[in-house]
Amino acid sequence: MILVGTCGFCEAKKRYFEDFSTVEVQQTFYKILQEKTLQKWGKEAPEDFVFSIKGFQGITHPPNSPIWRRSNVKLSGNVGLLRPTEEVFKYWELTLKEAEVLGARFILIQLPKSFKESEESFANAEKFFEQIERKEFEIAVELRGWSERG
């Protein structure tokens, strides 16, 4: 099966749902969305439509990342870089809830360029993925800025 869609709604949702079979909801990366918004989108979409959401930036992006300016969450604690901290796991739980409410199939974890190929990064990732609840969701990971190895 091949699904065609975009990252974010590139046109009015009603038309988008007619033209495409999937979307990657990027708003969930920047903000914690209201449950009623996600419910509305799920109801507006055709039954076979596939939603993917981006995990909230508190899971992946450290406090010094400029993208935090776009967030509706007050930044606190030790967040980002898949650190196995209470705050990161709290943001994962919020992401899971959003995915459930929307009826998403996939959750994308977009790692920043600052998530380098290092022992610390690998240890954080291993601990994070061992401890999270996945429920029925497929998890995708997007790496940015990693070197190519042949």
Side-chain angles (χ1 to χ4, degrees):
M1 172 181 6
I2 296 174
L3 302 172
V4 177
T6 62
C7 178
F9 294 104
C10 60
E11 57 191 12
K13 283 183 195 67
K14 183 177 182 190
R15 177 140 187 211
Y16 188 94
F17 291 140
E18 293 170 0
D19 292 344
F20 297 98
S21 55
T22 188
V23 70
E24 177 188 309
V25 178
Q26 61 182 349
Q27 292 97 320
T28 54
F29 176 77
Y30 297 105
K31 299 178 180 208
I32 303 298
L33 298 183
Q34 292 185 1
E35 195 169 308
K36 66 182 179 181
T37 300
L38 296 166
Q39 288 171 340
K40 181 180 176 213
W41 293 353
K43 288 177 184 170
E44 291 173 346
E47 192 173 311
D48 60 346
F49 192 84
V50 176
F51 284 100
S52 301
I53 70 166
K54 260 189 200 176
F56 183 68
Q57 64 185 323
I59 299 166
T60 55
H61 285 62
N64 62 348
S65 176
I67 61 161
W68 275 100
R69 291 185 302 246
R70 294 177 64 180
S71 180
N72 63 348
V73 173
K74 185 177 179 185
L75 183 59
S76 65
N78 193 7
V79 298
L81 303 175
L82 302 179
R83 291 182 185 108
T85 65
E86 184 178 324
E87 293 90 347
V88 169
F89 290 126
K90 177 186 86 169
Y91 291 134
W92 176 253
E93 290 298 320
L94 288 168
T95 295
L96 273 181
K97 181 165 175 63
E98 288 178 324
E100 287 177 313
V101 169
L102 183 59
R105 184 165 155 200
F106 299 94
I107 298 173
L108 171 66
I109 295 175
Q110 177 188 298
L111 293 165
K113 287 183 180 181
S114 59
F115 189 85
K116 299 292 183 195
E117 300 160 90
S118 69
E119 285 186 38
E120 179 183 10
S121 292
F122 294 133
N124 285 346
E126 188 173 339
K127 289 175 187 169
F128 175 81
F129 287 112
E130 282 177 351
Q131 293 180 44
I132 63 169
E133 172 69 45
R134 288 180 176 82
K135 300 197 177 184
E136 71 279 1
F137 302 105
E138 298 287 335
I139 308 296
V141 177
E142 179 181 338
L143 302 171
R144 293 182 167 207
W146 280 41
S147 63
E148 292 184 27
R149 296 183 179 196

